Structures are given as structure tokens and as C-alpha cells.
Amino acid sequence: MGSLDTYFALVEQNKQEFVERLREVVAIPSVSGDASKRGEVIRMGEWLQAKWEELGATCKRVEPGKQNLDGEILDLPPVILGQYGNDPSKKTVLVYGHYDVQPALVSDGWESDPFTLVEKEDGRLVGRGSTDDKGPVLGWLLCAETHKQAGIEFPVNLKFCFEGMEESGSEGLDDIIIAEADGWFKGTDVVCISDNYWLGKSRPCLTHGLRGVSYFHLIVEGPGADLHSGVFGGTVHEPMVDLVHLLSRLVDNKGRIQVPGIYDQVMAVTDAEEETYESVEFSHEALVADLKNDVLIHDNERDTLKHRWRYPTLSIHGVEGAFHASGDKTVIPAKVRGKFSLRTVPNMEPRKVAELVTKFLDDEFAKLGSKNRMQVVETHGGRWWYSSPDHPNFVAGARAVERVFGVKPDLTREGGSIPVTLTFEENVKANVLLLPMGAADDGAHSINEKVDKRNYIEGIKLFGAYLHEIAATDLAAA
Ligand SMILES: C[C@H](N)C(=O)N[C@@H](Cc1c[nH]cn1)C(=O)O
Ligand SMILES: [Zn+2]
Ligand SMILES: [Zn+2]
């Protein structure tokens, strides 16, 4: 593969330029969960479309419709579909990624402005979206640009699907994938998604499973307005007291979900699965160092991995409407909204999960004898995904990892969720490979999110190597 060596050499040569390109996209604050940033999310989608079109791709901008966000009716950001190359003698690879990001404020604890990329001496490229998912999304573009610059024939036809709502439940995307399965996505041989992370910091991985997510709002409201706690404390049912009580009933402090029936659908661990935990690169020592404190529940790596990959979990995220500023305001909030989510696993069904959670909270609320009103709303949900890692798509991914990093990849499952993975698999009817670029300690969704320069640059090489391996692979051997 002489042309691949030329490609690697040019990626090396362009390293600093690629950091500047990442700086340009991080600077667009495309936060999908913030109504005031919707214009920026749309601008980010338009940026991507323009760059791909400059390169010669054919793009289609699909509008998923409208969204009601905090009472404001907003345009959903466009889904950018693209096709780069259309040679019937080549295989066709569909890549998916998202150009929206999680919210980020300096006041959350960032060391610098989240939307100004900072290159640290130790190689960290710090900025919101650097690893999730702007680095990888940009990586596919830079891979294609570098082939063109080097005069190397692009080894496959590339289709792409980039969305701007992944961090907010991928609203509207399922319908588009279903509608385009026999349209834009027709002829896809394999799918590749780069939107998760390695298990450690040195060994790359291929991922063949994701957890699902079911997100809930628990709303408790009582008086028509906030009240003075000196005047009304002890004489009215306080929404916040009811809410705190209900939230505390959902999960114990060992992570065990308290909703009856929730574990009934969880697949049992098989002997074959037990073996898969033996060989992966994962240590509590490294994890505790990343966490900055030992706050681990389990005393061994295997149980930690099982609770990340294959058991359901429940996390409490926040309370809207509660007093949260500094100072000692003596208020009784009139309406509060608790937010929590469950990560779901094979073979849990989202409908059943919502039913069990709602019934449990209804029963617990009834026990309180409160005169407040309570409501449980499932705001978004996504299904888990599990696939065999034996498909030639994974073999091509493994070969590409060996070519770039000189090691065999770990085979992992992911604790996070990319709900459209299953939608692609079911509707486009092609195998999906998850090929992450970022490392375990990147801090996606957290403060000081980063991608290491090594991961970013070698990741761009990996994308190219993977496409060349796909071109050379007999996919019919599946
Ligand atoms: C794994 C992926 N990069 C990711 O972060 N996915 C999100 C998806 C989501 C669901 N609701 C909101 N965001 C996640 O796993 O939290
Ligand atoms: Zn992501
Ligand atoms: Zn994310």
C-alpha cells in the first residue's frame, strides 16, 4: 500500500494546519440544547456542507422540521447528507457524525474559554467538541482533502450523514434515515461511526455495542408562585421536598436502581462474555487518576466494566426551577423539574422502561399524601445496540488499527448512547463499525474537554487506512 504511506506522510506534514482547522470549528458554539445558540448550530452545519462541496462532494441539506425548546419554536438544525465519489466499481462507505456539542460555560470550571481551542504543551487540544464529535467529523473531511492534495485516488465512494441534534436526542433523524434508506443511502456497503472513546489512553479499540438512553423529567408543582419560607414553611406542601423525596427513591448509593422490574429484561452474562473482559486494557488505577479521586463503587475492573457496558444505570442530572445561585435566598420554589435518565441494555424495551418508571413514581407520590401535582414525562429515548465483531467491516477496522498503531485493537462496548446506530443498521441494512478517535480521559460532556493531538492526527490516518482496507476487503465473506 504505497499510496497509504504517501497519505500518512502528508497527514504528518499537515499536522499544524489540521490543528488550526479544529480551532475554526470549535470556535462555532453549536450547542443544540441552548435555544439562543440555534443559529450557531445551523452555521456549523452550513460550514460543513460548504467545505465538502468545495472538495467536490454532492450534498443535500435536509430540514428535519421544528422543535419546541423551552416554549420557543425553533428550526431544527439541518441534516447534511453527502456523496463523495460515485464509481460503481468501488465499495460505498457511509459515515455518520454530529456537529452539535454539549453546553459549556467558563463558570462550570473550564480553565479557558470552551470555544477557543487551546493547544497545551502536553499535546492536549482543549475545547468543547474537540473529541465529541467535531474532531472526528472534521477528520473525515481532512482525510478526503489530503487524498486529493496528494493526488491519491480515493479508495471508496463515501456517503455521509452529519446531524446537529445528537446531544439533544437526534430529533427528526430517525425519520430521515428511514426515508432515505432506499434513496440517498442506497448502495451503502458498510457504515462507520466515530463518536466514542478508547477504553484507555494508549490502545485503540473497535466498539460493537452501545447502551440506550431513556431521559425523564419529573415535574412537581404546587402554589401559583414562589413563597416566603418564613411565612409558608411547614404550612404548605413544598414541591421541592416532594421532588427530593421522589428522586431519592430511584437509585441507591451503590448504583442499584430501585424501580421494581427494571432488571427483569437484562440479559444474563454468558461464559463467552466473561472471557471478553480478560484481555482489554483497563485499570482502576488509571481510572481513579482520571477521576482525580477514588469514588469507584466496585472493587474490581470487571464489575466496573459490566456496569458501564451491560447493566442498566440511573443518573440524576439536575433540577430546573430550584434556587441554585450563591447567597441564602429563603424561597419555596413553586414548580420544580427534576431530570434523570436511565442507560438501557440488551434486552430492555424503552416502552416497558417508561411504564415501570412512571408507575413507580406514581405509587411513591401517592404514598406522600401531597396536595401538589406530579407528572413524569419521557423527553427522549434511544435504543441500545449490540453487534457481532466478526464482520469483515470489523476485520478491516482491526487491520487499519494495526497499520497505524502497530497493535491489535481492544474490542469494547460503550456506556454512552448513539441511538441512530441501530436505525442505520436496521434500515440501511449494512454492518456498522464504531471506530473511535478519542481516548478514555478526553472528558466529553465535562469541563476542559480535549482530544490529544496524537489521537487526532493518528485518527485521521486511521480513517484513511480503514477506507483503504475496506476497498481491499471481500465484504461478501460476511
Ligand atoms: C457517545 C456519544 N458521543 C454521546 O455522547 N452520546 C450522548 C447521546 C445523548 C443522549 N441524550 C443526550 N445525549 C450520550 O451518550 O449522552
Ligand atoms: Zn457524540
Ligand atoms: Zn456527546
Side-chain angles (χ1 to χ4, degrees), residues 256-449:
R256 181 97 192 152
I257 303 170
Q258 302 296 299
V259 178
I262 214 79
Y263 291 99
D264 291 355
Q265 294 180 299
V266 176
M267 199 184 247
V269 184
T270 61
D271 291 346
E273 184 191 326
E274 283 293 355
E275 277 175 33
T276 62
Y277 299 101
E278 305 278 337
S279 53
V280 290
E281 183 211 68
F282 184 67
S283 85
H284 268 185
E285 210 182 342
L287 186 58
V288 168
D290 291 345
L291 289 168
K292 312 277 192 287
N293 280 312
D294 183 356
V295 287
L296 295 178
I297 290 176
H298 307 286
D299 62 8
N300 65 84
E301 279 84 356
R302 188 175 289 236
D303 282 342
T304 296
L305 279 183
K306 284 182 181 168
H307 284 87
R308 182 186 292 183
W309 288 356
R310 59 109 54 238
Y311 288 130
T313 51
L314 189 152
S315 300
I316 297 172
H317 307 296
V319 177
E320 204 177 309
F323 169 59
H324 67 277
S326 55
D328 306 339
K329 190 177 180 188
T330 49
V331 70
I332 296 172
K335 178 178 178 180
V336 282
R337 186 184 282 257
K339 300 181 183 183
F340 65 94
S341 72
L342 280 96
R343 297 290 173 166
T344 55
V345 297
N347 288 318
M348 294 169 81
E349 285 169 28
R351 276 302 104 231
K352 184 74 187 163
V353 170
E355 216 178 277
L356 292 171
V357 167
T358 307
K359 174 165 182 351
F360 176 67
L361 288 169
D362 282 343
D363 290 350
E364 290 299 310
F365 186 65
K367 285 185 204 164
L368 293 179
S370 169
K371 289 185 181 168
N372 290 324
R373 294 178 301 286
M374 188 279 281
Q375 200 195 346
V376 183
V377 181
E378 186 188 9
T379 53
H380 70 265
R383 295 172 296 167
W384 50 265
W385 167 76
Y386 182 82
S387 167
S388 158
D390 298 330
H391 190 277
N393 195 19
F394 280 74
V395 176
R399 286 203 185 113
V401 167
E402 288 200 63
R403 184 75 207 268
V404 175
F405 295 91
V407 293
K408 283 194 194 310
D410 277 333
L411 271 183
T412 67
R413 290 164 70 173
E414 169 68 48
S417 311
I418 311 174
V420 294
T421 307
L422 185 59
T423 315
F424 279 118
E425 189 180 273
E426 286 177 343
N427 294 280
V428 178
K429 297 189 179 15
N431 180 268
V432 186
L433 164 70
L434 262 55
L435 185 64
M437 174 186 266
D441 63 340
D442 281 358
H445 295 203
S446 182
I447 56 168
N448 305 319
E449 175 183 346

Side-chain angles (χ1 to χ4, degrees), residues 209-223:
L210 291 158
R211 291 196 293 180
V213 61
S214 294
Y215 205 105
F216 296 93
H217 288 193
L218 169 56
I219 305 154
V220 184
E221 55 190 313

Side-chain angles (χ1 to χ4, degrees), residues 185-207:
F185 301 133
K186 197 176 165 69
T188 297
D189 292 302
V190 288
V191 181
C192 183
I193 298 177
S194 186
D195 184 24
N196 68 302
Y197 321 99
W198 299 353
L199 202 48
K201 284 170 234 183
S202 54
R203 185 184 290 273
C205 67
L206 307 180
T207 303

